[in-house]
Amino acid sequence: MRVLVTVASRHGSTREIGVEVAEVLRAAGHDVVEADPDEVEAVDGYDAVVLGSAVYVGRLAAALRELVDRQAAQLAARPTWLFWSGRVGEPPLPAAEPDDVRVVARRVAARDVAAFGGRLQRDELGLAERALVAMIEAEAGDFRDFDEVDAWAARVADELGRIERGGRVAQG
């Protein structure tokens, strides 16, 4: 199956999660294209889509939300998965799922939504980001669990394989 993996990431941490997802899908035999959400003009050339986004100020990245605004019907017409990252520290912050995650998941008829830990490196942050991090007392460090990412991506790959074998791929 031809799968688009598109990830909105400001500092690269979430993009690295997307790369890992793409590698797992490729290893399972899928033709995977990776692109930034701003570069995706249409999704009708793909059999399935994996959307990913970092969370900024409690929301999914604008680039991902804009892609969904442009392509919601096409995304909902094919198997689509959504993941987000950004939780840092112990206990993980933010504690709650961003409000727009479920809205986006509904709009694209996401088959699954996964939340992964993020990475916070203060030296990568701009002034406003540093102020926000200080305000919520977020802990710096890398809280991504790539075993967890691999397990989720393997479940996506398995489901894609079942869809492919069943011939139930939506064409848009």
Side-chain angles (χ1 to χ4, degrees):
M1 293 185 74
R2 185 173 162 108
V3 182
L4 171 65
V5 175
T6 181
V7 179
S9 178
R10 187 175 295 168
H11 299 290
S13 174
T14 306
R15 182 168 291 108
E16 291 172 358
I17 293 171
V19 167
E20 185 75 11
V21 169
E23 288 176 4
V24 170
L25 296 177
R26 277 189 194 101
H30 300 289
D31 175 18
V32 180
V33 174
E34 297 173 70
D36 288 335
D38 291 334
E39 298 170 355
V40 177
E41 294 180 17
V43 298
D44 56 354
Y46 301 97
D47 300 312
V49 178
V50 176
L51 302 170
S53 180
V55 171
Y56 299 105
V57 195
R59 297 196 68 193
L60 296 174
L64 184 82
R65 293 190 323 265
E66 290 165 4
L67 170 60
V68 170
D69 287 345
R70 292 190 313 269
Q71 294 289 310
Q74 288 292 324
L75 289 162
R78 60 198 20 78
T80 300
W81 288 262
L82 173 65
F83 76 85
W84 62 278
S85 76
R87 290 184 173 150
V88 295
E90 289 298 330
L93 294 174
E97 180 177 84
D99 294 338
D100 58 352
V101 168
R102 291 296 153 187
V103 171
V104 167
R106 274 192 304 277
R107 289 190 69 201
V108 304
R111 290 172 177 250
D112 189 30
V113 178
F116 300 118
R119 181 184 73 201
L120 174 60
Q121 292 181 276
R122 286 191 170 83
D123 61 339
E124 293 181 344
L125 303 178
L127 185 60
E129 291 170 318
R130 279 189 227 147
L132 177 64
V133 164
M135 183 176 76
I136 65 169
E137 300 177 350
E139 183 180 339
D142 191 342
F143 301 92
R144 297 172 298 172
D145 179 342
F146 282 95
D147 289 339
E148 179 184 14
V149 172
D150 288 346
W152 182 77
R155 288 191 301 273
V156 172
D158 287 346
E159 190 168 349
L160 285 169
R162 285 192 303 277
I163 292 167
E164 189 172 37
R165 286 186 301 278
R168 295 186 312 261
V169 178
Q171 298 298 320

